[in-house]
Amino acid sequence: MLELHRRLLPAVIAASAPTPCFLPSRGALRLPRSRPRRLRGKPSSTVRAVAGPGPVVGGAPAPEMAQREVARVLADQAVAWLGPRLLPSAVPADVAEFRSSAGNAVGSLDVRRGAPGSSIDFMLQSSLHCKVPNGAIDITSILIFLNALTDAPHFLLELIQGSPTSIVVILDLLPRKDLALHPDYLQMYYENTQIDQQRGKIEELPQARLYRSPSLFVRSACSPTAVMVSIDCGQGGERAFEEIVRGQLATVTQEVLQIWLDNCADSTADMEETERDCLLKRDRIVRTKSIEVDLTANLPRMFDPDVSNRVITEIRRAFGVQEA
Amino acid sequence: MLELHRRLLPAVIAASAPTPCFLPSRGALRLPRSRPRRLRGKPSSTVRAVAGPGPVVGGAPAPEMAQREVARVLADQAVAWLGPRLLPSAVPADVAEFRSSAGNAVGSLDVRRGAPGSSIDFMLQSSLHCKVPNGAIDITSILIFLNALTDAPHFLLELIQGSPTSIVVILDLLPRKDLALHPDYLQMYYENTQIDQQRGKIEELPQARLYRSPSLFVRSACSPTAVMVSIDCGQGGERAFEEIVRGQLATVTQEVLQIWLDNCADSTADMEETERDCLLKRDRIVRTKSIEVDLTANLPRMFDPDVSNRVITEIRRAFGVQEA
């Protein structure tokens, strides 16, 4: 366990890529499969099935967390706006929730494909809770990726919490074109939307420090307005931390999502064939690299091989980058 | 003057783009036209012609500065390595040195084209010294751009000093391809060269803070290993500042330049026609946008229209983006 702890947290933090749903967890974040929108505070049947109202990990209940509430509200916002553009969940039960045989880690994954004719490729939510000797690691992700009917950016949120008072936040509209080659694209989605102001709201927090992924690919794939910060309120900073997560962080994630919903989710673009080919190629590389950097490196450290393989296969399927 | 000061410094800092030689200055940095390499500490005749051994701006001598020494050493290093790949300077005398009619600002610009058959497009050095009510602004730039015989990154250094104890540093191997679409390119020039370690050496300084250009285009055009920092040693920090500039900053700029010389300056690449067209288009956009963001916005604030027009025209010529 010590080895796991020693290797995992740095690895998780280090490898936190811009597109992964890597290391999913407890069902708290999952969208219900039958209903398009879940009411806040009401755990879905799936959640109950995994962890119950007092979710149990290794026999001990895992605490409800501010970051999960933030993600839940955000997912609700997306689902409400997207409505029938999203199909019901299509994830097998043993991937929707999974746990390590040692009982120290539980995860959940939900993938909803976009409805035919919509610009939505998929919405993926994942969550992971992993006990480690000195506490727990909690990671939640929300990804909403678009298909080739549009070249508009994808939406990405990752929250990686390694202690009760610190969290890494990665929040971005993930560009799908080379921004230096396409200043008009940069202007449309990043300048005109004034999204950089949202980044500023988080970075101006005295507890926030810039988080720089050690993966140069991750840095290259993100937009220049990406929120990539580590928020650390230090020992005894539980209250300040809660206030930031439920306050500024919640607000900024919601505002960024709303910018994405208003400007990207419904967009379509006329593209020439070579342009579309380039877009598809770029999408494929970003997706493949992300899975490579994150999932295949990290999931097997937390879950048994059969479990992590199942989960990775399902994510590859969503990403459209199945192995041959 | 107060208006100039109020507007200029924020504008200069704000607009500091990744590719401009914007706002050039005193001759201290200029390469001599006749000799391929200048000895350190020996001012060229051109320098003497402009400012004399004790350069005069508006009647008062402008101090020698650590940042100019750093740039001078760096230029020597480049010129020594590149040798006959560089042609003699081709800049008219009234652009090689120029000054404002009010006498508060002097600038210098030197451009040397690459020799036929080499991968060098041009090496551009510029320097500017502008007195403002509470001090002076000093900016030096060294750009070495490659042509379409290769797709290797360009070299870029900008030093923007707004007080005796603070400086903004922009240092990068400016990528010429979309790094998310070309992970092999990212690996070759940025991962294998371990250039990110150089960035780390500057950012770990307690006086360094990340500098984020307000221009999203500038941020997009830079590599994920770009040094973009503001170093501020505060009031009374002159000695610490000097030590950093002549120490860590000098070392890092030289090491980054050497990485560029070893890996990029002599490279060639086989490209298909469409690939080369894309490279040329990207290069042109980056160059044009940089000039637009920086020079046309800032030079006229410091120099009379005829002077700034002359200088901008010359830089456009070097960049190969003359106006129609």
Side-chain angles (χ1 to χ4, degrees):
Chain A
M1 275 300 279
L2 187 63
E3 177 60 16
L4 178 70
H5 178 56
R6 214 172 51 220
R7 291 177 57 200
L8 185 63
L9 188 53
V12 167
I13 302 290
S16 71
T19 54
C21 63
F22 65 116
L23 305 176
S25 153
R26 294 191 306 152
L29 255 189
R30 275 199 82 236
L31 290 175
R33 299 190 195 190
S34 50
R35 282 178 296 171
R37 192 180 180 195
R38 190 172 72 218
L39 295 175
R40 280 176 60 178
K42 268 196 187 176
S44 75
S45 58
T46 326
V47 174
R48 284 195 303 272
V50 185
V56 171
V57 181
E64 183 54 26
M65 303 183 84
Q67 65 146 301
R68 289 207 184 87
E69 176 66 16
V70 168
R72 190 155 43 222
V73 169
L74 205 70
D76 286 351
Q77 181 185 347
V79 169
W81 199 96
L82 294 171
R85 296 173 191 83
L86 291 176
L87 298 177
S89 175
V91 171
D94 60 357
V95 171
E97 278 91 22
F98 47 95
R99 60 176 60 216
S100 64
S101 58
N104 65 309
V106 290
S108 77
L109 174 69
D110 190 54
V111 180
R112 299 179 64 176
R113 314 290 319 197
S118 83
S119 296
I120 307 294
D121 190 7
F122 63 84
M123 173 168 171
L124 185 154
Q125 291 175 259
S126 71
S127 174
L128 174 123
H129 175 83
C130 180
K131 287 186 88 172
V132 290
N134 296 324
I137 299 166
D138 287 272
I139 304 173
T140 56
S141 307
I142 298 179
L143 279 65
I144 319 178
F145 272 39
L146 299 173
N147 59 30
L149 289 180
T150 178
D151 56 11
H154 304 307
F155 175 84
L156 166 87
L157 171 70
E158 304 236 351
L159 302 172
I160 306 149
Q161 188 166 348
S163 87
T165 56
S166 69
I167 194 167
V168 167
V169 180
I170 302 177
L171 172 66
D172 197 21
L173 304 195
L174 209 58
R176 297 170 74 198
K177 297 179 93 162
D178 178 7
L179 299 178
L181 185 60
H182 299 282
D184 49 338
Y185 186 91
L186 181 68
Q187 187 177 9
M188 186 187 318
Y189 293 113
Y190 300 93
E191 287 172 355
N192 293 352
T193 58
Q194 303 195 320
I195 196 167
D196 205 39
Q197 291 178 8
Q198 303 301 326
R199 185 191 55 71
K201 287 181 196 168
I202 293 287
E203 287 189 9
E204 75 186 11
L205 290 169
Q207 298 90 345
R209 280 181 309 128
L210 191 101
Y211 167 72
R212 201 184 294 262
S213 168
S215 159
L216 297 188
F217 184 82
V218 168
R219 295 190 218 159
S220 302
C222 282
S223 84
T225 63
V227 175
M228 296 183 92
V229 293
S230 160
I231 297 170
D232 192 343
C233 295
Q235 223 176 354
E238 282 80 1
R239 188 164 170 186
F241 183 77
E242 283 274 313
E243 282 176 7
I244 288 173
V245 173
R246 294 186 190 277
Q248 289 95 331
L249 182 61
T251 304
V252 165
T253 54
Q254 287 165 36
E255 291 187 8
V256 169
L257 174 62
Q258 198 57 50
I259 288 172
W260 182 83
L261 291 168
D262 292 339
N263 295 278
C264 306
D266 253 350
S267 73
T268 55
D270 286 329
M271 283 177 266
E272 289 176 19
E273 200 180 322
T274 53
E275 216 179 336
R276 193 181 308 269
D277 287 348
C278 182
L279 186 88
L280 286 168
K281 186 179 172 194
R282 196 181 193 282
D283 264 11
R284 195 163 49 244
I285 291 169
V286 170
R287 293 172 187 209
T288 307
K289 281 289 278 184
S290 307
I291 291 176
E292 196 181 287
V293 168
D294 277 301
L295 289 167
T296 53
N298 287 306
L299 264 186
R301 295 184 183 174
M302 314 183 78
F303 295 93
D304 310 279
D306 60 326
V307 175
S308 55
N309 286 345
R310 265 203 317 270
V311 175
I312 291 172
T313 300
E314 200 58 36
I315 292 168
R316 277 194 209 282
R317 187 170 296 146
F319 276 41
V321 290
Q322 284 110 308
E323 277 184 315
Chain B
M1 274 301 276
L2 185 63
E3 176 60 18
L4 177 68
H5 179 55
R6 216 170 48 220
R7 290 177 58 200
L8 186 61
L9 189 51
V12 168
I13 304 291
S16 72
T19 53
C21 61
F22 65 118
L23 305 174
S25 151
R26 294 193 306 152
L29 255 189
R30 275 199 82 236
L31 291 174
R33 299 188 195 191
S34 48
R35 281 178 295 172
R37 192 180 181 196
R38 190 172 72 219
L39 295 174
R40 281 175 59 178
K42 268 198 186 176
S44 74
S45 59
T46 327
V47 175
R48 284 195 303 273
V50 186
V56 172
V57 182
E64 184 54 26
M65 303 184 84
Q67 65 145 301
R68 288 207 184 88
E69 177 66 17
V70 169
R72 190 156 42 222
V73 170
L74 204 70
D76 286 350
Q77 181 185 348
V79 170
W81 199 97
L82 294 171
R85 296 174 193 81
L86 290 176
L87 298 178
S89 175
V91 171
D94 59 356
V95 171
E97 279 91 22
F98 48 94
R99 59 176 61 216
S100 64
S101 58
N104 64 310
V106 290
S108 77
L109 172 70
D110 190 52
V111 179
R112 298 179 65 177
R113 313 293 316 199
S118 82
S119 296
I120 307 293
D121 190 7
F122 63 83
M123 173 169 173
L124 186 153
Q125 293 176 258
S126 70
S127 173
L128 174 122
H129 174 82
C130 180
K131 289 187 85 171
V132 291
N134 297 323
I137 299 166
D138 287 273
I139 303 173
T140 57
S141 309
I142 298 180
L143 279 66
I144 319 178
F145 273 39
L146 300 173
N147 60 31
L149 290 179
T150 177
D151 57 11
H154 304 307
F155 175 83
L156 166 87
L157 171 70
E158 304 238 350
L159 302 172
I160 306 150
Q161 188 167 348
S163 87
T165 56
S166 69
I167 194 167
V168 167
V169 180
I170 302 176
L171 173 66
D172 197 20
L173 303 195
L174 209 59
R176 296 168 75 197
K177 296 180 93 160
D178 178 6
L179 299 178
L181 185 60
H182 299 282
D184 49 338
Y185 186 91
L186 182 68
Q187 187 177 8
M188 185 188 318
Y189 293 112
Y190 300 94
E191 287 172 356
N192 294 351
T193 58
Q194 304 196 319
I195 196 167
D196 204 39
Q197 291 179 8
Q198 303 301 326
R199 185 191 55 72
K201 288 182 196 168
I202 293 287
E203 287 188 9
E204 75 187 12
L205 291 168
Q207 298 91 342
R209 280 182 309 129
L210 191 101
Y211 167 72
R212 200 183 294 264
S213 168
S215 158
L216 298 188
F217 185 83
V218 168
R219 295 190 217 158
S220 303
C222 282
S223 84
T225 64
V227 175
M228 294 183 93
V229 293
S230 161
I231 297 169
D232 192 343
C233 296
Q235 222 176 355
E238 283 81 0
R239 189 166 168 183
F241 182 78
E242 283 273 313
E243 283 177 6
I244 288 174
V245 173
R246 294 186 190 277
Q248 289 95 332
L249 182 61
T251 304
V252 166
T253 54
Q254 287 166 35
E255 291 187 7
V256 168
L257 175 62
Q258 198 57 50
I259 289 172
W260 182 83
L261 291 167
D262 291 339
N263 295 277
C264 307
D266 253 351
S267 74
T268 55
D270 286 329
M271 283 177 266
E272 291 177 17
E273 200 180 323
T274 52
E275 215 179 337
R276 193 180 308 269
D277 287 349
C278 182
L279 186 88
L280 286 168
K281 186 179 172 193
R282 196 181 193 282
D283 263 12
R284 196 164 48 244
I285 291 169
V286 170
R287 293 172 186 208
T288 307
K289 281 289 278 186
S290 307
I291 291 177
E292 195 182 287
V293 169
D294 276 301
L295 289 166
T296 52
N298 287 306
L299 264 186
R301 295 184 185 173
M302 314 183 77
F303 296 93
D304 311 276
D306 60 326
V307 175
S308 54
N309 285 345
R310 264 202 319 268
V311 176
I312 290 172
T313 299
E314 201 59 35
I315 292 169
R316 278 195 209 281
R317 188 170 295 147
F319 276 40
V321 291
Q322 284 111 307
E323 278 184 314

